[in-house]
Amino acid sequence: MDNRPIGIFDSGVGGLAVVKYIKKLLPNEDIVYLGDTARVPYGTRSRNIIEKYSIQDIKFLLSKSVKFVIAACGTASSILYGGYENNFSFHYSGIIKPTCDIAIKLSIKKKIGIIGTSATIKINKYQEYIKKYDKNINIYSQDCPLFVPLIENRFIEPRNKITSLMVEKYLEDMRGKIDTLILGCTHYPIIKSHIEDYFGKDINIVDSGFETAKFVENYLKKNNMNNYTKKIGEVFYYITDDKDSFGKTGSIFLDEDIFKNISVIDLDIF
Amino acid sequence: MDNRPIGIFDSGVGGLAVVKYIKKLLPNEDIVYLGDTARVPYGTRSRNIIEKYSIQDIKFLLSKSVKFVIAACGTASSILYGGYENNFSFHYSGIIKPTCDIAIKLSIKKKIGIIGTSATIKINKYQEYIKKYDKNINIYSQDCPLFVPLIENRFIEPRNKITSLMVEKYLEDMRGKIDTLILGCTHYPIIKSHIEDYFGKDINIVDSGFETAKFVENYLKKNNMNNYTKKIGEVFYYITDDKDSFGKTGSIFLDEDIFKNISVIDLDIF
């Protein structure tokens, strides 16, 4: 057993989806969450910058003695996938592998759509993973750079007209072509209802946050790394800009007041 | 006379509007432009963070021996207005004063609308300046946090449906109430046609970028600070993320290929 907390990071509020699922699947675990809100979004930035930010995020989490690091961010996961993560000396998961494994299982027609930030789609790691598994799977990918700003600014209520139009704009080339869609950014499940409305019920939508939480649940169990000392774990939130916006969106999303557990930190020293 | 370049900074591409106007009004001047593209947008961030970034931006420009610093960014201008800028030992202008002076002149009915980023509207400097001049002027202000992401992602062609809906969403409370509208962020003139379509022709739209360029033209003349050694000045672009997106948008906006004049720098050392 291992009583240390699980570390989770994202550029902003998207990774809170993973927090939500981990709390449900592993209620006894403590969590240290880092949202790099002063530098959100990551997905419109270049490879070098995202690499630098992601490594700083991880160093911060390791300074908090976490037992497992989750990159709960499609963009950071893509940057770290392969080369970087193979050399990590700590327990780690991004969202690429858990998400793709499920999508591959679900896609009967071997036609998978992938949506993500511009960086994620450009770096191409989801696509590489799936092609390596089965080169006969057809992949349709599309970057959706405005989804994260829309979500961070709470254009999220069901049937919001602007969000629906944005979904149509980004996804129209995929409609009718795929049977499975990967939400390759942890922000996107927050507007899942808009995506379902657009596609109808006839496709599988794979939520990268949920699949990653499931993967971590199995990993801890298999490696005897669970925390058995607590019934209800605590969550400590660290962010890099002020508490107001993150606290509001996070409290709505997690359905509890998280303000008291938020600390503001400076990542420049990491 | 003073042959040193004019320094201009913004969080991203918005300040290029000021570059465009300065090139027109003062074609013989050299310009050093800084776009902090790795950390755009500024306007959704907190006071402390924007302050830190703006001071780094200015230190960088001063390291390039500029004779005048223009904060071509509504958010940075708001942060620096008053306290900070009163203590500057170099020639400086933000966009607040030049813009408000014109709006006050144009508004016959004394009903002025102000739109800007969330930080700009919250920090309240446009409003303070106008109220100090004439407390009987009615002010209607509104933050439009999605305008910068839409513009940076090129949702800018006339009558773009999503941009038009966003304009309607943010500006509907002002329609019919104002005779003059301040575009309090240098990005916004790029979607001026959408705003004109929404309001009709019966209001004055004040372009903060243009008014600031006019102000600097007069300032240099009055203080005998012009560069008379060149017929056509050069522009040197410095950005903090990669060249691709900035180069594309900038080349379209300025109607010339700017890629060859772009350098990528790291502001962390400033």
Side-chain angles (χ1 to χ4, degrees), chain A residues 187-205:
Chain A
H187 281 76
Y188 297 177
I190 299 173
I191 55 166
K192 195 175 164 188
S193 74
H194 295 83
I195 297 169
E196 282 174 342
D197 286 349
Y198 184 65
F199 277 104
K201 297 283 170 194
D202 49 335
I203 68 161
N204 309 301
I205 294 182

Side-chain angles (χ1 to χ4, degrees), chain A:
Chain A
M1 59 178 280
D2 189 333
N3 300 335
R4 292 175 297 164
I6 297 170
I8 302 175
F9 76 92
D10 179 42
S11 60
V13 299
L16 293 179
V18 180
V19 172
K20 197 174 190 171
Y21 296 131
I22 292 278
K23 276 164 65 97
K24 206 171 160 185
L25 298 171
L26 299 165
N28 46 332
E29 297 292 337
D30 291 329
I31 296 170
V32 175
Y33 184 85
L34 170 61
D36 189 7
T37 50
R39 304 189 294 197
V40 69
Y42 281 8
T44 53
R45 313 200 187 283
S46 69
R47 207 184 168 103
N48 284 345
I49 293 284
I50 302 163
E51 209 169 275
K52 176 179 156 187
Y53 291 175
S54 303
I55 297 297
Q56 282 179 323
D57 296 340
I58 289 175
K59 283 186 180 165
F60 170 77
L61 289 177
L62 293 176
S63 81
K64 295 287 169 192
S65 302
V66 299
K67 63 182 167 192
F68 197 106
V69 172
I70 305 176
C73 168
T75 307
S77 296
S78 297
I79 286 286
L80 300 171
Y81 183 80
Y84 260 104
E85 69 177 67
N86 293 340
N87 296 313
F88 284 160
S89 58
F90 47 88
H91 301 280
Y92 166 86
S93 179
I95 69 174
I96 309 283
K97 181 182 151 40
T99 307
C100 289
D101 284 346
I102 298 296
I104 291 165
K105 259 190 212 161
L106 291 174
S107 180
I108 307 290
K109 297 184 184 162
K110 300 194 176 193
K111 290 178 176 181
I112 298 178
I114 302 166
I115 55 174
T117 65
S118 297
T120 296
I121 296 306
K122 196 171 168 190
I123 299 165
N124 213 38
K125 294 299 176 186
Y126 282 104
Q127 298 96 312
E128 274 177 25
Y129 185 96
I130 294 169
K131 279 288 180 193
K132 204 171 164 186
Y133 183 89
D134 180 350
K135 66 179 186 344
N136 294 318
I137 295 175
N138 292 301
I139 298 175
Y140 302 81
S141 61
Q142 175 66 47
D143 64 330
C144 311
L146 259 298
F147 279 178
V148 170
L150 279 174
I151 292 161
E152 293 271 341
N153 286 285
R154 300 188 207 94
F155 282 65
I156 56 180
E157 80 281 4
R159 295 177 205 279
N160 178 295
K161 207 168 156 189
I162 291 173
T163 304
S164 296
L165 273 173
M166 201 68 90
V167 166
E168 187 186 327
K169 183 184 158 56
Y170 285 138
L171 301 185
E172 59 184 350
D173 286 347
M174 264 183 210
R175 190 152 71 162
K177 293 185 186 144
I178 58 171
D179 73 345
T180 301
L181 177 66
I182 290 177
L183 307 184
C185 166
T186 47
H187 281 76
Y188 297 177
I190 299 173
I191 55 166
K192 195 175 164 188
S193 74
H194 295 83
I195 297 169
E196 282 174 342
D197 286 349
Y198 184 65
F199 277 104
K201 297 283 170 194
D202 49 335
I203 68 161
N204 309 301
I205 294 182
V206 183
D207 175 342
S208 49
F210 178 71
E211 302 309 337
T212 304
K214 285 288 295 174
F215 175 85
V216 175
E217 182 195 18
N218 291 331
Y219 189 99
L220 295 188
K221 199 194 254 179
K222 204 172 132 188
N223 293 283
N224 194 24
M225 286 172 63
N226 285 105
N227 179 359
Y228 297 107
T229 61
K230 282 190 171 179
K231 283 222 159 154
I232 302 292
E234 286 174 276
V235 189
F236 306 92
Y237 300 94
Y238 295 89
I239 56 176
T240 51
D241 202 343
D242 76 355
K243 297 181 186 187
D244 198 48
S245 176
F246 181 86
K248 269 187 206 157
T249 311
S251 296
I252 295 170
F253 185 67
L254 294 166
D255 203 21
E256 62 177 328
D257 180 3
I258 66 166
F259 272 95
K260 62 184 183 310
N261 290 343
I262 303 176
S263 308
V264 178
I265 52 141
D266 186 347
L267 283 176
D268 283 352
I269 58 166
F270 286 92

